[in-house]
Amino acid sequence: MINTFVITKDHKMIIDCPLEEVKKDHVEWYWVDFNQPSKSEIEQLAAFFQFHPLAIEDCLDHYQQRPKLDFYDGYEFLVIHALEKKRLNAVELDMFVGHDFIVTFHKEAIIEIEEIWNKVTQSQQPLKGPFFLMHGIIDKLVDEYFPLIYHMERELNEIEDNRANKNISHLMDRLFDLRSDLSIFRKTILPMRDLLYRMVHSDRLKFLTDQHLYFNDVYDHLLKLSEMLDSYRDFSSDIRDSYLSVNSNNMNETMMTLTVITTIFMPLTFIAGVYGMNFKNMPELEWHYGYYIVLGGMGGIALCMFMYFVKKNWLTINRKNRK
C-alpha cells in the first residue's frame, strides 16, 4: 500500500492523492509511505522516483541492513530500525530524504509510522519540511526503545530481590532469557547510535545547520540507552554470579551432609560385616546379650559421630537459600 501526503505552496494539506500528483508545480514537499508494498508498487521506486539501483537493492534485500546513511545525488538514503515489542525483532525502515520530499519504505507494518502518519494528517499546522519529518520519525522510534529497556530493568530487579521466593533454576532461566534480549537490543541500539553520531558530525548534511540540536538530542538518547544496556549487562552478570555461588554453596552443603551420613554408617557397616561372617570360633556369637551389646555399641558410635559433626557445623544447611 502506498500512502501520500502533500503540502502545497499555499500551505494546504492533501492526503492520499494519486502518486503522479506529488511532483506537480504547486507542491512544496511531500511524503510517500510504502507500507508493505506489492510487487507493482515496489517498481515505482525505480520507475517513478528513479532512485539509485543500489539503494533500491538495499530496500529489497532479504537479509536486514545495518543502520546506515548513504549520499546520492539530490537525496540521502537512510536505513534505521524499529523494534517489534513482543519478540524484540528489529524491523527495517528505509528512508529517501531530499529537500522537497521524503519516501519511507518498510516491508512490515511499523506502529510508530502509523502513529506519526495519524498525527501529521490530523494536525492543524503542517510540518515545516521533510527534514523535520525525518527527525520526528527517528525520534519516535528511539523514544519507543525506552519502555522496553525499563521493562527489562524491572525484571532484573525482581530477579535480584526474589520476593516471591522462586526456585533458583527458574530464576536462572529467566535471567538468561533477559541477557539474550539485552544482546538483541544491543545489536539495534549501537548501530543506531553510530548512525546518529555520523549524522551529527557530518559536513555533507546541510540541513543540520538549523536542526543540529534536534538530532543531537536523539543522539544523546541513544547514548543513554547504550550506557543503560552496558549497565544492565553488568548487573545481570552480577546476579548470575551470585545465584551460581548460592547454588554451588547449596550443592557443597548437600554433598557434605551425604558424606557425613556415609561416614557414620561406615563403622556400623564394618561391625555388621564382621559379625555377619558366621565363623564357629567367634566367642561373641555365644554371648547371651551379644546382640544387644553390639546394637548398643553401634548406636553409641553413630551418636558420638553425629554429635561431633554437629559440633563442627558440618550438618548445618541454609534452608533459605534453597527456596
Side-chain angles (χ1 to χ4, degrees):
M1 181 173 62
I2 298 178
N3 300 314
T4 58
F5 171 85
V6 171
I7 298 295
T8 63
K9 292 182 179 178
D10 55 357
H11 306 296
K12 290 183 180 180
M13 186 186 306
I14 304 175
I15 301 172
D16 292 330
C17 65
L19 193 61
E20 294 75 15
E21 296 292 325
V22 301
K23 289 190 177 182
K24 293 296 181 65
D25 294 336
H26 67 283
V27 174
E28 182 176 358
W29 69 275
Y30 60 88
W31 174 20
V32 177
D33 180 46
F34 287 77
N35 181 10
Q36 299 172 280
S38 63
K39 184 177 180 180
S40 61
E41 291 172 338
I42 292 174
E43 292 175 353
Q44 298 300 319
L45 292 174
F48 182 78
F49 292 102
Q50 298 181 352
F51 291 135
H52 197 282
L54 289 178
I56 297 176
E57 181 182 350
D58 288 339
C59 293
L60 303 180
D61 275 339
H62 295 292
Y63 63 89
Q64 196 169 75
Q65 295 287 328
R66 180 184 177 89
K68 65 175 183 176
L69 169 65
D70 291 334
F71 297 95
Y72 293 96
D73 186 20
Y75 61 91
E76 287 79 40
F77 174 68
L78 291 92
V79 177
I80 58 178
H81 287 171
L83 275 175
E84 195 274 322
K85 295 180 175 58
K86 292 184 179 180
R87 296 174 295 172
L88 285 183
N89 290 337
V91 180
E92 182 178 324
L93 172 63
D94 306 303
M95 289 196 294
F96 302 85
V97 187
H99 73 280
D100 61 351
F101 71 89
I102 178 169
V103 176
T104 53
F105 181 95
H106 46 101
K107 291 182 285 188
E108 299 180 42
I110 299 178
I111 297 177
E112 291 81 3
I113 294 295
E114 296 178 7
E115 293 176 353
I116 293 174
W117 179 268
N118 293 332
K119 181 179 178 180
V120 169
T121 54
Q122 295 172 10
S123 176
Q124 299 298 323
Q125 296 181 348
L127 287 175
K128 296 180 181 180
F131 296 112
F132 281 91
L133 179 58
M134 179 181 71
H135 166 265
I137 292 174
I138 298 176
D139 187 52
K140 179 65 175 177
L141 295 182
V142 172
D143 285 344
E144 291 301 315
Y145 295 162
F146 280 96
L148 299 174
I149 198 168
Y150 286 146
H151 176 72
M152 293 182 185
E153 179 187 17
R154 288 193 297 270
E155 291 212 37
L156 285 173
N157 288 330
E158 290 176 1
I159 291 175
E160 183 192 33
D161 295 339
N162 192 22
R163 294 181 180 179
N165 291 326
K166 295 182 179 179
N167 186 273
I168 288 182
S169 60
H170 173 79
L171 294 176
M172 290 294 289
D173 289 341
R174 183 55 191 145
L175 181 63
F176 282 113
D177 288 340
L178 281 174
R179 285 180 60 84
S180 177
D181 291 343
L182 286 171
S183 296
I184 295 173
F185 213 161
R186 184 183 178 87
K187 292 178 182 178
T188 298
I189 296 296
L190 296 188
M192 286 287 289
R193 181 195 66 185
D194 296 340
L195 171 62
L196 265 294
Y197 178 85
R198 183 184 174 192
M199 291 177 63
V200 170
H201 294 85
S202 175
D203 296 330
R204 300 182 63 179
L205 298 176
K206 297 180 180 180
F207 66 87
L208 282 180
T209 303
D210 298 327
Q211 303 179 43
H212 185 274
L213 290 177
Y214 294 96
F215 285 89
N216 194 65
D217 180 67
V218 178
Y219 172 70
D220 289 340
H221 289 170
L222 288 167
L223 194 62
K224 179 181 179 181
L225 283 168
S226 63
E227 292 173 350
M228 293 172 69
L229 279 175
D230 291 337
S231 174
Y232 294 157
R233 281 175 61 86
D234 293 339
F235 184 34
S236 65
S237 296
D238 292 340
I239 297 175
R240 178 197 60 192
D241 295 341
S242 176
Y243 276 127
L244 287 176
S245 297
V246 170
N247 197 44
S248 177
N249 183 62
N250 288 338
M251 180 64 70
N252 290 337
E253 290 182 345
T254 300
M255 294 303 298
M256 182 179 293
T257 301
L258 294 175
T259 302
V260 166
I261 293 173
T262 302
T263 304
I264 290 175
F265 274 90
M266 283 177 62
L268 309 185
T269 304
F270 173 76
I271 294 174
V274 169
Y275 288 103
M277 290 187 292
N278 294 322
F279 287 115
K280 291 184 177 181
N281 295 324
M282 293 180 67
E284 295 86 353
L285 295 179
E286 304 296 330
W287 291 358
H288 182 71
Y289 296 104
Y291 173 74
Y292 303 102
I293 293 173
V294 171
L295 283 183
M298 293 170 67
I301 292 172
L303 180 61
C304 291
M305 295 181 69
F306 177 79
M307 296 300 294
Y308 176 78
F309 292 139
V310 169
K311 185 178 180 180
K312 292 290 186 179
N313 291 324
W314 290 356
L315 284 173
T316 302
I317 300 179
N318 189 350
R319 299 290 179 184
K320 183 178 179 180
N321 289 337
R322 293 181 174 273
K323 292 182 180 180

